[in-house]
Amino acid sequence: MAQWLHMSQLIPCLPDDTINSLYPPRTFPIEVRHFLSEWIEGQRWDDFAIENLEQQTQAQALLDQTINMLQTIAHQNASVVDRMKLMNISRNMAGFQQQPLQFGVMVRDILRKERVLLSASSSTRSSQPFQQLPNREFYQHLPDVDHLVLNVLEVQDCRQNIHQLQEELNWEKQNYESLQGSMPPNGLELPKDVQKLQTHIQTLEYKVKTMTTKRFKLLKDCVDFLDQCQTRLINRLKEWRCEQHKAAIGHDFDDNLNSLQTWCEQLLGVNGKLRQEVMLAGEPIPELQERLGQLLKVLIQSSLIVDKQPPQVIKTQSKFSTTVRYLLGEKMAPGKPVVLKAQIINELQARNLGNVSCSDNVGELINNTAILEHNTASKHTCATFRNMSIKKIKRADRKGSESVTEEKFAILFSTEITITGCDTPHRTQMISLPVVVIVHGSQDINALATIVWDCAFSEPDRVPFVVPERVPWRSMYSTLNSKFTSEVQTKHNLDQYNQHFLAQKIFDKPDFADDFSNTMVTWAQFNKEVLPGRPFTFWQWFEGVMELTKKHLKTYWSEGLIFGFIGKQHLHLILKDRPNGTFLLRFSDSEIGGITIAYVSASENGGQKIQNIQPFTKRDLEIRSLGDRIRDINHITHLYPDFPKHEVFKKFYSEPQPSPSGGYIPVSLQTTVGTCQFQPPFSPQESMTQEMMDTATNPDEFRAAPSVVFPNEMGYPGNNTEIDLESILKTLDD
C-alpha cells in the first residue's frame, strides 16, 4: 500500500471534501503529491491566472499525468478497498477536463498554503524535545499537541486499514470455502486460481497481524506522548500560579488563561479518542485503560484554577470576593449545576488536603457557595464569590514568639465534576494563595510583611506554606525594589545608593562600605526585631515610605526629584562642597512615612553646615503640598546638584486662590523654618530670618511650621501701616 500524505483542499472533486485544516480525513498518495509539487516548481506558475488561456495546454498536461499516475498506483495496490478509492479519485478528477487551468491554479495555491502552514508550525514549536513517533517527517515541525493529534489520526487510520483488510480477508475466505467442493482429492495439485486465492488469504492474514501489532505500538506511543504533554501542561499551570503569586510583589504577570484552557480541552479530546481506540482494539488492554483513566482524573482535577485570588490579608467581618475558573467548563456534563464550596483551612490542613472534609473548619465563612456558570461569549466557566466574609477564626497554638500576623491560612474550594462521556464524577479541589487573617486594622502592616516574605521567597513546589528563615540581601533588595515600584506605580527604580543605605539600615552597619549582596537577611531582621534606637521594624519603616510616596510623592519620585534613601555620612559627602542653598529630598530615617529636606547653609563661624528640616508626614502633605512647601522656604535655592528650584518645581506650585466673596479677608498657609511667625501684610515674602536659624533650639534640625499670612490684597493701600484690628478679629472669628 502506498504511503499517504495529508493534503487538505487538493480535491474539491472528491465528494464532501470541504475541510480546511492540515489534518483532513482524506489522504492522497505521496508519489502524486511529490509529482505535483515538482511539476509546479518547474513550470514557474507564480504568474498563473485562470484567464491566461496560453497556459491551458500546460494545465491539461498536468491533469492528464496526475490521473494516469493515480490509475497506475491503483492497479499496483494489493488492497481491493484502496484500489477502489484511488480509481474513484481518478474518475472524479476527470471533471476538470473542461477547465484544466482551474485545476493547475488550485494545485499551486494549495501547495503554497501547505508551505505556510508547515512554516508557521515550525516557528511555534515547543523548545522542549518530544518523542519522535514513526513516519511523517514533517511531524517534527509541529507543536506538541498537534504532533499528538496527528499520531492519534494515524492510530485511527491504522484501525480503519485493519478493518478493511479484515473485510477483504473475510470475503476471500468465503470465496475459498465456496471452491472447496470442487477441489481434487488429497494428493492432487490444487488449481492455480485456488492456490493464488490461498496465498492471498495467507498474505492478508499476515498483514492483519502485522498491522494489529503496529497499531498496539502506536497506541502505546500515543499514551506515552499524551502523558508527556499533560505533564508539561501541569507544570505550566504551576508556573502560572507561581507567577500569580509573585505578582503580589510587583512581578509581571499575564493572567490570560485562554491558551491553557485550549490546551486542556485538546488533551481531554485526545484522551477520549485514545480510550475509544483502546476499547476498539478487540482484546482488552488493561494497562493502557488504567493509564488513560489516571491521566483523565489528573486533568479533570488540575483544571480548577483560582483566577482572581482573595485578598492575602483579610480582616474578619469584612467582605471580600474571589473567582474560580474551570478550564474544562465546556466539557462538563449538562444537567445538575456544579456548586463550589469554600472553606478556610490552616497550614496543617493545607499539607493534608486529601484528609480535609467539609466539616473540618478552622473558621466560619459567610456566603461560601457559588455555582460554576458558563459564559458563551467569553467561553469562560467561572464561580464568583462576591460577598464572602470570615465571621470568626480559630487559631493554632503559636510557637515561641510567633504572632498572629505570622499565621497563614488558605481558602479551599471543592466540588464534584462530571465530564461528558465519563460516568464517574471526580472530586476536585484547589486552594488559594496563603492569606493572613487579622481582627484589627493595626495588624495590617505586619500581616503584609508575612505575605511579602511568602510571595518573594517561597519555592514553587514547597510544602504549604514553608518559607526560608533567611535569604541573601540581593534577593531581598530585588523584592523591595519590585514592591516599591509596583506599589507607587512608577518606572523609576531604587538606585545603588538607595540599595546600600537600606542594607546599612537593616544590618545596622552604617560604616560598612563593602558589598552586602551575599549577606543573609533573616525574617527577624525584616519584621520582628525593632531597628536600633527606633520603636519600629525595618518593614514598618519601609512600608511607611512606600505609602507616603504612593499617595503624595509619585510624580516627584518618578521624575527623579527625590534622592530617597541616603545615610547621613553619604549626605554630608555629596553636599559638603555645594553652594549655600543647595538641597535634596530624602526619606526620613527616624520617622515612619516622612520626607525631609537637607540643605547647605552658612555656619556661625563663616563656614558651612548641613541642616535637616523636620520631616513632612502624610498629614503635613495633605495640608500643604511638597511643591508649595519648597517654594515657601527661601533658604533653599538649588536642587542637588545645581538645578534652580523654581525651574524644577514650578509645575508643582499651587495657583493663588481667588479672593473669597462676602467681603471676607483672604488667608493662606505658608511653611516657615523655625518658630511660628505672624507676618504683616507688607512683607509676605520673608519666610525665615537668619536670627531664627541662630536661635533655634536644635540648629541641626528645624521644624517646618505653618503660619497665617495676610497678603497685600486686603483691600488696604500698599504702604498703609494702619491696620483695622476689628476687621482682622472678625475675620479670625469667622
Side-chain angles (χ1 to χ4, degrees):
M1 176 179 166
Q3 189 179 20
W4 301 87
L5 180 73
H6 295 280
M7 287 189 67
S8 51
Q9 314 105 301
L10 179 59
I11 329 289
C13 54
L14 294 181
D16 67 20
D17 193 352
T18 58
I19 297 174
N20 294 321
S21 71
L22 193 59
Y23 324 117
R26 297 186 181 273
T27 53
F28 209 62
I30 195 168
E31 296 93 330
V32 179
R33 188 258 184 228
H34 285 161
F35 160 73
L36 291 171
S37 180
E38 292 172 1
W39 203 94
I40 291 292
E41 293 287 350
Q43 296 296 321
R44 296 183 180 179
W45 280 30
D46 288 341
D47 58 344
F48 246 52
I50 293 179
E51 61 272 13
N52 192 350
L53 300 179
E54 295 178 359
Q55 294 175 320
Q56 185 162 340
T57 304
Q58 292 174 293
Q60 185 67 55
L62 172 65
L63 178 61
D64 293 342
Q65 291 183 55
T66 302
I67 293 173
N68 291 335
M69 183 174 287
L70 281 170
Q71 292 174 346
T72 301
I73 294 172
H75 290 306
Q76 293 173 349
N77 202 303
S79 169
V80 175
V81 177
D82 288 337
R83 192 184 311 150
M84 293 174 62
K85 282 185 177 180
L86 290 171
M87 291 302 294
N88 187 47
I89 290 173
S90 66
R91 283 194 297 271
N92 288 332
M93 272 196 171
F96 278 105
Q97 292 291 355
Q98 303 301 319
Q99 44 188 353
L101 195 55
Q102 182 179 351
F103 174 77
V105 172
M106 180 189 67
V107 170
R108 179 201 64 186
D109 292 342
I110 291 171
L111 290 173
R112 282 179 181 173
K113 184 174 181 180
E114 182 186 66
R115 292 190 190 96
V116 171
L117 288 171
L118 293 177
S119 176
S121 298
S122 177
S123 65
T124 58
R125 181 177 49 186
S126 170
S127 58
Q128 298 185 1
F130 52 77
Q131 179 181 349
Q132 296 295 321
L133 296 182
N135 298 331
R136 314 281 164 80
E137 291 181 359
F138 65 90
Y139 280 9
Q140 61 185 328
H141 299 296
L142 301 176
D144 283 0
V145 176
D146 291 342
H147 179 88
L148 180 58
V149 168
L150 285 173
N151 280 277
V152 172
L153 288 172
E154 190 169 5
V155 171
Q156 294 173 329
D157 187 54
C158 190
R159 171 175 53 80
Q160 292 169 358
N161 288 337
I162 292 173
H163 181 72
Q164 292 165 5
L165 285 170
Q166 189 63 54
E167 285 183 340
E168 186 177 355
L169 177 61
N170 294 340
W171 174 261
E172 299 294 12
K173 281 184 176 180
Q174 180 179 327
N175 291 338
Y176 182 77
E177 289 174 0
S178 64
L179 293 174
Q180 280 184 331
S182 60
M183 288 184 185
N186 292 339
L188 296 179
E189 185 177 354
L190 293 172
K192 289 185 178 181
D193 56 340
V194 175
Q195 291 180 14
K196 185 176 179 181
L197 182 59
Q198 197 174 42
T199 301
H200 185 51
I201 290 173
Q202 292 173 348
T203 301
L204 289 174
E205 288 175 337
Y206 175 77
K207 285 184 176 181
V208 169
K209 183 178 179 181
T210 303
M211 194 69 72
T212 302
T213 303
K214 176 185 176 182
R215 181 172 179 272
F216 175 78
K217 184 178 184 308
L218 284 173
L219 260 177
K220 185 177 181 305
D221 288 343
C222 281
V223 175
D224 290 341
F225 193 30
L226 174 62
D227 197 343
Q228 294 173 27
C229 288
Q230 187 162 308
T231 299
R232 281 193 280 276
L233 169 65
I234 302 300
N235 289 337
R236 179 65 193 104
L237 288 170
K238 289 179 180 178
E239 289 173 5
W240 188 91
R241 284 191 288 267
C242 183
E243 291 164 5
Q244 186 187 46
H245 197 183
K246 299 291 184 185
I249 55 171
H251 288 206
D252 291 336
F253 172 54
D254 181 4
D255 62 354
N256 194 321
L257 283 165
N258 292 343
S259 60
L260 290 174
Q261 176 172 312
T262 300
W263 196 349
C264 287
E265 292 170 346
Q266 288 175 324
L267 293 185
L268 178 67
V270 168
N271 190 298
K273 285 183 171 58
L274 288 176
R275 282 185 287 118
Q276 289 178 356
E277 291 301 317
V278 170
M279 291 174 60
L280 294 171
E283 296 181 5
I285 312 177
E287 175 197 351
L288 296 185
Q289 287 177 328
E290 184 177 347
R291 285 186 63 192
L292 287 169
Q294 184 61 30
L295 287 171
L296 178 64
K297 178 182 177 181
V298 171
L299 181 62
I300 291 173
Q301 293 177 338
S302 301
S303 298
L304 192 67
I305 301 292
V306 184
D307 189 11
K308 305 298 180 186
Q309 292 284 341
Q312 288 194 263
V313 176
I314 302 176
K315 184 176 176 292
T316 56
Q317 311 294 333
S318 298
K319 290 193 294 186
F320 63 92
S321 63
T322 182
T323 300
V324 179
R325 179 170 167 183
Y326 193 57
L327 300 182
L328 292 175
E330 287 192 315
K331 310 300 179 182
M332 292 192 308
K336 186 178 178 182
V338 178
V339 179
L340 233 67
K341 182 173 182 181
Q343 65 187 105
I344 191 162
I345 59 174
N346 60 25
E347 191 167 328
L348 181 61
Q349 290 173 315
R351 297 178 186 181
N352 300 278
L353 283 180
N355 299 323
V356 177
S357 68
C358 294
S359 59
D360 295 336
N361 287 319
V362 296
E364 185 177 347
L365 271 179
I366 308 299
N367 298 324
N368 65 332
T369 60
I371 297 175
L372 274 174
E373 297 177 308
H374 184 69
N375 185 315
T376 54
S378 65
K379 298 186 178 180
H380 297 175
T381 302
C382 299
T384 301
F385 300 80
R386 291 182 175 83
N387 296 296
M388 263 205 297
S389 175
I390 299 177
K391 185 176 181 180
K392 60 182 179 180
I393 192 71
K394 180 182 177 182
R395 300 192 182 276
D397 295 332
R398 293 191 291 279
K399 311 168 192 174
S401 60
E402 186 180 54
S403 70
V404 295
T405 57
E406 295 176 65
E407 186 177 7
K408 287 177 270 192
F409 298 87
I411 308 294
L412 172 65
F413 304 94
S414 56
T415 188
E416 285 195 345
I417 293 177
T418 303
I419 295 296
T420 302
C422 305
D423 298 331
T424 307
H426 291 271
R427 179 167 176 77
T428 306
Q429 56 187 17
M430 177 55 62
I431 63 171
S432 71
L433 296 177
V435 301
V436 176
V437 180
I438 62 175
V439 296
H440 193 275
S442 61
Q443 299 172 315
D444 185 74
I445 294 176
N446 291 331
L448 183 59
T450 299
I451 294 303
V452 168
W453 188 279
D454 187 272
C455 292
F457 308 123
S458 58
E459 296 294 331
D461 292 322
R462 63 167 172 179
V463 174
F465 296 110
V466 175
V467 288
E469 191 63 29
R470 60 185 65 233
V471 296
W473 167 249
R474 62 178 178 273
S475 299
M476 170 59 70
Y477 167 69
S478 175
T479 298
L480 294 175
N481 181 60
S482 177
K483 182 66 176 173
F484 186 92
T485 52
S486 66
E487 199 72 21
V488 176
Q489 294 185 340
T490 179
K491 295 182 179 180
H492 185 63
N493 293 297
L494 304 177
D495 62 23
Q496 56 180 338
Y497 303 113
N498 296 160
Q499 176 185 2
H500 193 76
F501 172 70
L502 290 171
Q504 288 178 323
K505 192 169 185 66
I506 201 169
F507 294 119
D508 189 27
K509 292 185 177 181
D511 300 324
F512 190 79
D514 293 340
D515 185 19
F516 285 97
S517 295
N518 296 318
T519 308
M520 302 300 286
V521 183
T522 65
W523 161 251
Q525 288 172 313
F526 180 66
N527 192 54
K528 206 164 184 66
E529 301 167 350
V530 296
L531 294 169
R534 309 296 186 205
F536 45 77
T537 67
F538 175 86
W539 168 254
Q540 290 168 349
W541 169 76
F542 183 84
E543 198 277 339
V545 170
M546 214 163 43
E547 187 73 7
L548 178 74
T549 308
K550 176 174 68 173
K551 292 188 175 178
H552 296 285
L553 307 173
K554 175 181 175 180
T555 307
Y556 300 91
W557 173 266
S558 298
E559 295 186 9
L561 304 180
I562 299 176
F563 201 96
F565 301 101
I566 179 173
K568 289 185 178 179
Q569 284 186 342
H570 186 204
L571 176 67
H572 282 73
L573 183 65
I574 66 174
L575 289 181
K576 67 178 183 178
D577 297 325
R578 308 310 302 175
N580 291 346
T582 302
F583 72 99
L584 59 76
L585 300 167
R586 70 179 186 89
F587 297 125
S588 172
D589 184 37
S590 58
E591 288 193 29
I592 291 180
I595 186 167
T596 185
I597 300 174
Y599 69 98
V600 182
S601 69
S603 62
E604 295 80 357
N605 58 9
Q608 289 182 318
K609 58 183 177 182
I610 308 299
Q611 306 279 41
N612 288 277
I613 296 175
Q614 180 168 318
F616 302 117
T617 63
K618 172 186 173 183
R619 183 174 177 276
D620 296 323
L621 298 181
E622 285 172 348
I623 296 172
R624 190 160 177 79
S625 72
L626 180 62
D628 286 340
R629 291 181 182 274
I630 289 172
R631 176 177 58 177
D632 293 342
I633 303 172
N634 293 332
H635 284 70
I636 58 175
T637 58
H638 287 74
L639 180 67
Y640 175 84
D642 58 359
F643 300 107
K645 76 170 185 180
H646 292 306
E647 292 182 10
V648 175
F649 292 97
K650 183 177 181 180
K651 66 179 180 180
F652 298 104
Y653 296 164
S654 298
E655 294 294 330
Q657 295 297 318
S659 298
S661 59
Y664 291 110
I665 300 173
V667 298
S668 65
L669 294 177
Q670 189 172 23
T671 305
T672 62
V673 177
T675 59
C676 283
Q677 168 185 330
F678 177 81
Q679 290 189 317
F682 15 83
S683 57
Q685 301 88 351
E686 291 294 332
S687 62
M688 186 184 81
T689 66
Q690 185 63 42
E691 287 77 16
M692 293 176 191
M693 295 176 61
D694 294 338
T695 58
T697 56
N698 182 1
D700 289 329
E701 188 169 275
F702 291 98
R703 178 171 184 81
S707 61
V708 180
V709 177
F710 300 93
N712 286 337
E713 291 79 5
M714 283 183 169
Y716 303 116
N719 295 322
N720 192 344
T721 58
E722 296 182 3
I723 300 177
D724 185 348
L725 185 59
E726 290 183 1
S727 297
I728 294 174
L729 292 176
K730 179 180 182 300
T731 302
L732 292 175
D733 289 339
D734 289 338

